[in-house]
Amino acid sequence: LGDVETSNSIADAMISYEDMSGLSLTDALSKLEAQHFVNVKYNADNESSIVNCDDWEVVSQSVTPGTVLDKTAPIELTCKQVYFQFYFDLAFDSNLFLATYDLDFYVDGKKIATIPHGEYYTYLMRAAVGDHEAVFYKTTDNSVKATKIFSVTNDGTFKARLHTNRNDIEINEFEILDSV
C-alpha cells in the first residue's frame, strides 16, 4: 500500500461554529466566510426583504454555537432590522418683519445642516431603532431653540413647518408618517 496524504487546511477540516447573535448581518456573513462556510442562508424575522445587510442584526441561528461542522453544513441566520430610512420634510416659513435668521439643524447632537430662512429643506438619514432628538437653533444665538423627540420603529418621515419669531422657534404641523 502506498502512502496516504492528509491535509490539515481549513478547507478540509471540521470547523467550530461561533455565536453570531447580536452581530450585524454583514459582520456575521464576513465571519462565516472567513471560516469557509459555504452554505449560509439568512432571512428576516418578519415578512420584510433584506436589502442592506448593514441594517440587520442576527437574532437567532440554526446551529448551536460550539458545534463542530463541515464547511458545507447548512447554516440559517434569522435577523431583525435595526436601522431604517428616515426622511425629514421641513417647510421653513418666511418671516420678513421680526425674525429673518437661519436655523442650525441637529439630530442626536450631530449637525445636519444650516437651513436658510424661508427655505424648504429635505434630508434622508439612516436611523437606529429608538428615540432620537431633533433640535433647531437660531444660528446667531444657541439659546433660542426648539426640540422634538421622535421614535424610529420603521421607515418614516418627520414632517413639520418651522416658524421663527425674534426669540422663539416653533415646530408646527408636526407629524411622523409611516413611510419615506
Side-chain angles (χ1 to χ4, degrees):
L1 295 181
D3 292 332
V4 177
E5 288 188 35
T6 60
S7 170
N8 291 323
S9 77
I10 189 78
D12 299 319
M14 297 295 280
I15 308 160
S16 179
Y17 178 79
E18 295 180 34
D19 190 4
M20 298 296 142
S21 294
L23 293 178
S24 75
L25 180 55
T26 300
D27 291 344
L29 293 173
S30 293
K31 201 170 191 179
L32 292 168
E33 181 181 347
Q35 292 179 303
H36 303 280
F37 286 112
V38 296
N39 192 4
V40 179
K41 296 180 180 164
Y42 54 87
N43 59 52
D45 63 347
N46 56 25
E47 299 298 316
S48 299
S49 296
I50 297 176
V51 176
N52 182 352
C53 293
D54 290 335
D55 292 344
W56 294 79
E57 179 179 282
V58 177
V59 292
S60 65
Q61 50 213 332
S62 63
V63 177
T64 304
T67 302
V68 177
L69 305 168
D70 178 83
K71 70 179 184 174
T72 61
I75 297 170
E76 187 169 340
L77 305 174
T78 302
C79 306
K80 70 175 179 179
Q81 192 169 4
V82 293
Y83 286 97
F84 292 93
Q85 298 295 314
F86 215 77
Y87 185 70
F88 290 85
D89 184 4
L90 306 171
F92 189 175
D93 293 337
S94 189
N95 184 342
L96 300 177
F97 299 108
L98 299 174
T100 58
Y101 53 86
D102 299 339
L103 294 176
D104 287 335
F105 171 43
Y106 286 76
V107 175
D108 296 335
K110 178 184 173 203
K111 185 175 181 180
I112 303 301
T114 297
I115 305 171
H117 178 80
E119 296 288 320
Y120 190 82
Y121 181 77
T122 60
Y123 178 71
L124 181 64
M125 69 178 281
R126 181 176 177 249
V129 169
D131 290 340
H132 299 273
E133 179 182 53
V135 183
F136 302 91
Y137 293 99
K138 180 178 181 178
T139 56
T140 58
D141 181 359
N142 281 352
S143 68
V144 178
K145 70 178 184 177
T147 302
K148 270 295 184 196
I149 302 295
F150 62 97
S151 293
V152 173
T153 57
N154 55 16
D155 292 337
T157 298
F158 178 113
K159 186 173 182 176
R161 178 170 296 284
L162 306 172
H163 183 80
T164 56
N165 295 306
R166 187 176 312 166
N167 291 313
D168 184 42
I169 301 168
E170 298 172 9
I171 302 173
N172 300 315
E173 301 172 25
F174 170 73
E175 62 182 317
I176 298 291
L177 305 174
D178 285 335
S179 62
V180 174

